[in-house]
Amino acid sequence: MRILSPVRKRWVVAGLAVSIVAGGCQSFTGGNGKNVFGKKGPGRNGLMPESSELLDPLGARNPERMILQDLAPGQIGTTFKTMGFKKVDQDAAKAAYEAGQQLYQQALQLRDSDPEDKTHLELLEDAANQFRLAGHKWPDSAVHQDALFFQGESYFFCNRYVQANRAYEALIAQYSGSRYFDRAEERRFSIARYWLGRAREEKGVKSVAPGDPSRPATGMAGEARRILHRIRLDDPTGKLADDATMQLAAAFMEARLFQDAADAFEDLRRSYPGSPHMYNAHLFELKCRMNCYYGRSYEAEPLVKADQLLRQIVQQFPNQATDQEEYLAKEASRIRHMLAEREYSMGEYYENRGENRAAQLVYQDVREKFPDTEYASAVDGRIEAVSDGPPLPPQQAQWLVDLFPKSEAAKPLIAAGDREGILR
């Protein structure tokens, strides 16, 4: 067998690592529901995403995914140790967990005593490695649950937020009833808000330093929105559910995804009627609905919903509405003008087709519904014009129509009152 030189060995290992990261964990999944390492397949008790999550437009939760930071010099050894079959070794798991706890507590003490000293960051990274090993050595256990949480905490406090979020996601996916659930969701909420702020600051920046463990390599705002979406789905009645929904809707609005933003604001209004975000949800949804309306040639649903929202704001929030009185009055005028325009254009459509009776009814409707708009005065002349014409346009090519047989009403199989025919 040919012996590889040390230099060539390093290149082989590096090539294998890059191929693993590029292919993602799905490349290790077989057709039998398990991956080649024998790990569990889809399901709430596994680490792969559920089928319902795979259809999620914001992306599935996949806490087994490997990322570039796993190949950092201080972590690549642990990464390769945790790849492969999970051979249960309870003693080794407990030893690794205890070692991780010692490093974790030591790091926090150093941080509290001297916040300027960065030594604690290395200790936290070492602690995270120990927690990873502990969870790998004893899966589906109390040690595994604790190790996942403290792995996330270690990564979180050493500013490795991508890996921290992955550990929290693994904890939530496998131990949805964990005592650490609320803490993990709070951390993820903080990470998502941090990434949204970073994305706002870096908007327009052409190049960003690669390899930053505190942020995703690409799609930082999109990943933040995905986390917020998962938070509200993982715990729809939790204390962060309405906050996550509001933050998600605002993020959609900032990204000019007005339809998604409007739907998220509507979900907040309907699902959390006692939320302190109710007024802002109404107001911002109104703005988004108006941005979703593209004119009279398109559907009227955004405009109709905007009209309903404006009425609800005035009725439910009279004090707050006073502060926005000028804006709301302006939007009310715009909405009525656009609705009148739609009705008037429908009347023009019927008039151009020669359906004068239908056009007359539509024009009268415009005059009655929207008397305070310019279209109300414009319809008077139109009503007089169409009332003088025939109600329906003349039939074209009447001779061709006469060639076809006239349809007759279908005769009943049993004559009315023929009870004898039914009883036979």
Side-chain angles (χ1 to χ4, degrees):
M1 182 178 67
R2 185 178 178 184
I3 306 299
L4 297 177
S5 65
V7 175
R8 184 163 296 183
K9 282 183 179 179
R10 287 197 296 269
W11 278 105
V12 171
V13 173
L16 176 62
V18 171
S19 65
I20 290 172
V21 175
C25 63
Q26 290 185 355
S27 61
F28 297 108
T29 305
N32 59 355
K34 294 184 179 181
N35 56 35
V36 296
F37 299 132
K39 296 180 181 179
K40 294 181 180 179
R44 295 296 294 181
N45 295 325
L47 293 180
M48 300 290 285
E50 290 181 330
S51 58
S52 60
E53 292 180 13
L54 292 174
L55 299 177
D56 196 321
L58 292 186
R61 171 176 52 201
N62 190 355
E64 263 198 342
R65 68 189 183 279
M66 186 176 290
I67 56 179
L68 190 61
Q69 284 79 16
D70 292 329
L71 305 178
Q75 300 189 48
I76 187 170
T78 305
T79 298
F80 280 98
K81 287 179 183 178
T82 55
M83 291 172 58
F85 293 101
K86 292 182 179 179
K87 184 178 179 180
V88 177
D89 189 340
Q90 298 181 9
D91 293 335
K94 292 178 181 178
Y97 180 78
E98 291 299 328
Q101 280 291 349
Q102 292 178 7
L103 291 168
Y104 179 75
Q105 297 299 332
Q106 184 181 355
L108 294 187
Q109 291 176 4
L110 283 174
R111 184 197 64 177
D112 295 339
S113 61
D114 188 2
E116 300 298 327
D117 187 6
K118 303 303 180 183
T119 308
H120 70 280
L121 298 178
E122 297 179 4
L123 292 175
L124 287 169
E125 189 174 341
D126 293 339
N129 286 331
Q130 292 297 323
F131 290 130
R132 287 180 68 188
L133 287 174
H136 177 74
K137 292 294 184 181
W138 195 1
D140 300 324
S141 65
V143 171
H144 184 212
Q145 181 182 165
D146 294 339
L148 282 174
F149 175 72
F150 284 103
Q151 180 191 151
E153 293 288 275
S154 300
Y155 282 134
F156 182 84
F157 289 121
C158 67
N159 306 326
R160 306 184 76 89
Y161 299 132
V162 180
Q163 292 166 291
N165 177 63
R166 182 183 60 180
Y168 294 135
E169 282 193 343
L171 173 69
I172 291 168
Q174 193 162 359
Y175 304 102
S176 58
S178 171
R179 62 183 182 278
Y180 302 119
F181 187 92
D182 291 339
R183 289 277 299 278
E185 292 289 52
E186 289 175 4
R187 300 294 193 213
R188 297 179 69 218
F189 186 71
S190 300
I191 291 171
R193 294 189 64 183
Y194 171 75
W195 284 346
L196 288 173
R198 282 282 299 272
R200 195 177 301 113
E201 294 173 0
E202 295 177 5
K203 191 175 182 179
V205 178
K206 294 183 179 180
S207 61
V208 181
D212 185 354
S214 67
R215 50 158 292 164
T218 58
M220 183 162 51
E223 181 67 7
R225 294 195 294 266
R226 186 191 69 82
I227 292 175
L228 293 170
H229 179 60
R230 292 307 318 175
I231 289 174
R232 69 190 191 124
L233 294 185
D234 291 336
D235 191 15
T237 59
K239 61 180 181 180
L240 286 176
D242 63 325
D243 294 328
T245 305
M246 184 66 185
Q247 192 74 57
L248 174 63
F252 277 135
M253 188 176 178
E254 187 175 2
R256 302 189 66 80
L257 301 172
F258 294 115
Q259 184 62 58
D260 292 327
D263 292 341
F265 284 126
E266 182 179 10
D267 183 42
L268 173 62
R269 291 191 300 105
R270 295 182 181 278
S271 302
Y272 309 103
S275 172
H277 304 297
M278 281 296 288
Y279 172 69
N280 287 331
H282 279 79
L283 186 63
F284 293 148
E285 185 185 346
L286 170 63
K287 295 181 179 182
C288 291
R289 295 295 180 193
M290 294 299 291
N291 278 283
C292 291
Y293 180 66
Y294 299 114
R296 64 184 185 183
S297 299
Y298 297 86
E299 62 178 351
E301 182 182 9
L303 200 60
V304 173
K305 286 190 173 183
D307 186 44
Q308 295 172 353
L309 281 166
L310 196 145
R311 297 175 188 275
Q312 290 175 9
I313 290 173
V314 175
Q315 292 174 1
Q316 296 181 22
F317 310 98
N319 296 330
Q320 294 94 323
T322 304
D323 299 333
Q324 299 285 337
E325 183 176 0
E326 183 178 353
Y327 167 76
L328 295 176
K330 180 180 177 181
E331 290 302 290
S333 177
R334 283 184 61 202
I335 291 172
R336 289 189 61 77
H337 175 84
M338 291 177 180
L339 289 173
E341 180 187 31
R342 292 185 66 88
E343 293 281 345
Y344 186 82
S345 64
M346 183 60 68
E348 288 182 322
Y349 170 77
Y350 285 129
E351 183 179 357
N352 293 333
R353 286 174 54 90
E355 300 180 16
N356 294 315
R357 178 56 180 165
Q360 182 181 1
L361 293 175
V362 173
Y363 286 141
Q364 290 174 350
D365 203 28
V366 172
R367 186 169 58 185
E368 293 174 4
K369 284 184 178 179
F370 310 101
D372 55 339
T373 64
E374 61 187 56
Y375 294 100
S377 57
V379 296
D380 291 334
R382 305 312 317 154
I383 291 175
E384 184 177 349
V386 297
S387 60
D388 295 337
L392 294 174
Q395 178 65 57
Q396 302 295 325
Q398 183 65 43
W399 62 270
L400 181 60
V401 175
D402 294 338
L403 292 178
F404 292 91
K406 296 181 179 179
S407 61
E408 298 181 358
K411 296 181 179 180
L413 296 177
I414 302 175
D418 189 5
R419 298 182 67 250
E420 182 180 356
I422 299 175
L423 297 174
R424 284 182 181 177

